[in-house]
Amino acid sequence: MFKKSLLILVSIVMILSLAPATLSAQGDPIVIGFLPGVVDPFYQVMELGVNAAAEDMGVQIITQIPQTWGVEVQTPILDAMIARGDLDYLIIAPTDKDQMIGPLEAALDAGIQVITVDTFLGDGDYVNGPVTFPISYIGSDNVEGGRIAARGLAAAIGGTGKVYINSTNPNVSSVEGRAVGFNEVMANEYPDIEVVGLDFNLDDPARATEQTAAVIAREPDLAGVFGTNVFSAQGAGQAVIQAGLGGQVQVVAYDATQLAIENLRAGVVSLVLAQKPFDMGYMAVQFAVAHAAGVTSLPKRVQTGFAIIDINNVDDPAIARFIYQVP
Ligand code: T6T
């Protein structure tokens, strides 16, 4: 009898020692869906943040990561997540700021609250609209990130010359904002810098390489390139290397992948903008838990900041911690 009572007591203590589950309005542990844009180091680090928060707060995460970018891939996955019938929240990086509004309104209609991370819907103003239903946008201020990239590239080329932007996909709030900020600074602050073009590589670094190589051939006096994300910077850097112009054509890379850092150390890349995807993921789960608990004061926009990495600070632990370390 004593042994049985002891076993029951130990079991109760073990159960109670687990992170207290956050309960939905129906009294069940909340279930959160996580649907980023594509398999890449940035979202892999975001997933680390999501999972760390889920562990800390005792919530279940259902993760689905598209193999390629695009509404035609993300929407069926979203629909299947909705059809599960057990999701209370969805953390998503919409792959198109307009085309994903309808599919995500369907999630809301199905009783799933939406938090957008990294990218937003509409114009991102969830207070005044036109899109107001998401709980929040948690991500970088990408227009400011583009401004930082522009000033960094301008400094690297001495304030004069031709520069080029290689980006990924149209109508994606993140990379679109980066180009807006970049062009704004070049137009307003650097009259001797000419932006000679912008191409979309559709998340294909090989296409980014081809596009950048074509610009290098067309503009033999090209001074610099801005790669607006992981794949753009990867491909653009490769084109500069293949042309034997490393250190002559300066490259600014958005996203602090291991490759971007290697290219920084090799003198191909002069500046790397690290976003904070771990923070985005962790805070999105926090927001879901807070919302489930009845918190009504969650900000509709959280801008997570940057670490600006160059050859002088790349070995500073306070900076290097923001390099995307993926398992
Ligand atoms: O740059 C990130 C992300 O911020 C953007 O929305 C899409 O591309 C990345 O995931 C990097 O590949």
Side-chain angles (χ1 to χ4, degrees):
M1 184 61 181
F2 173 75
K3 282 188 176 180
K4 185 176 179 182
S5 303
L6 181 63
L7 182 61
I8 292 170
L9 178 63
V10 167
S11 301
I12 290 170
V13 168
M14 286 178 67
I15 289 168
L16 292 175
S17 68
L18 296 174
T22 300
L23 304 182
S24 69
Q26 293 71 34
D28 306 313
I30 67 169
V31 181
I32 303 172
F34 174 49
L35 178 49
V38 72
V39 176
D40 76 18
F42 169 85
Y43 288 119
Q44 285 170 319
V45 173
M46 184 184 287
E47 185 180 13
L48 295 177
V50 166
N51 291 341
E55 178 76 19
D56 292 348
M57 289 171 235
V59 296
Q60 183 184 356
I61 303 290
I62 305 295
T63 297
Q64 295 284 333
I65 304 182
Q67 290 299 312
T68 55
W69 185 281
V71 298
E72 69 283 356
V73 178
Q74 193 177 48
T75 302
I77 296 173
L78 169 59
D79 293 345
M81 292 177 94
I82 295 170
R84 291 172 54 95
D86 64 347
L87 294 186
D88 301 294
Y89 293 86
L90 177 68
I91 298 169
I92 184 170
T95 50
D96 185 292
K97 65 183 185 178
D98 299 312
Q99 295 185 62
M100 289 305 294
I101 294 173
L104 286 168
E105 284 176 329
L108 188 69
D109 292 343
I112 301 170
Q113 293 290 330
V114 175
I115 296 166
T116 66
V117 286
D118 174 50
T119 62
F120 54 65
L121 296 172
D123 64 3
D125 181 349
Y126 295 160
V127 173
N128 299 306
V131 177
T132 58
F133 66 87
I135 291 173
S136 190
Y137 160 70
I138 302 174
S140 299
D141 176 350
N142 286 297
V143 174
E144 180 59 21
R147 297 188 187 108
I148 294 170
R151 295 183 181 115
L153 189 56
I157 66 173
T160 183
K162 295 177 179 178
V163 298
Y164 161 69
I165 305 170
N166 191 266
S167 194
T168 49
N169 300 283
N171 225 46
V172 177
S173 67
S174 52
V175 293
E176 184 177 85
R178 296 165 197 171
V180 166
F182 184 92
N183 283 320
E184 172 198 287
V185 163
M186 291 313 192
N188 297 340
E189 300 178 21
Y190 295 97
D192 296 330
I193 292 179
E194 176 190 359
V195 181
V196 296
L198 181 154
D199 288 311
F200 292 113
N201 62 56
L202 306 184
D203 259 30
D204 180 353
R207 182 179 286 114
T209 300
E210 292 167 6
Q211 292 167 332
T212 305
V215 174
I216 290 171
R218 187 182 76 221
E219 306 283 356
D221 56 345
L222 186 72
V225 181
F226 173 34
T228 68
N229 87 326
V230 168
F231 301 117
S232 308
Q234 176 183 336
Q238 185 61 24
V240 169
I241 292 168
Q242 286 176 351
L245 295 173
Q248 297 176 56
V249 175
Q250 302 298 325
V251 179
V252 167
Y254 217 103
D255 287 318
T257 61
Q258 298 290 350
L259 179 61
I261 299 302
E262 287 169 20
N263 282 337
L264 177 72
R265 294 185 187 278
V268 173
V269 167
S270 52
L271 193 73
V272 177
L273 273 78
Q275 301 187 76
K276 297 184 178 179
F278 183 94
D279 294 10
M280 296 175 200
Y282 196 99
M283 292 181 73
V285 174
Q286 285 181 310
F287 271 39
V289 168
H291 187 272
V295 172
T296 59
S297 308
L298 296 171
K300 282 284 193 176
R301 188 182 188 97
V302 177
Q303 295 182 156
T304 45
F306 302 100
I308 311 304
I309 308 176
D310 62 27
I311 198 63
N312 299 312
N313 68 8
V314 64
D315 293 315
D316 177 349
I319 295 294
R321 62 176 289 216
F322 294 108
I323 297 169
Y324 304 169
Q325 307 283 358
V326 292

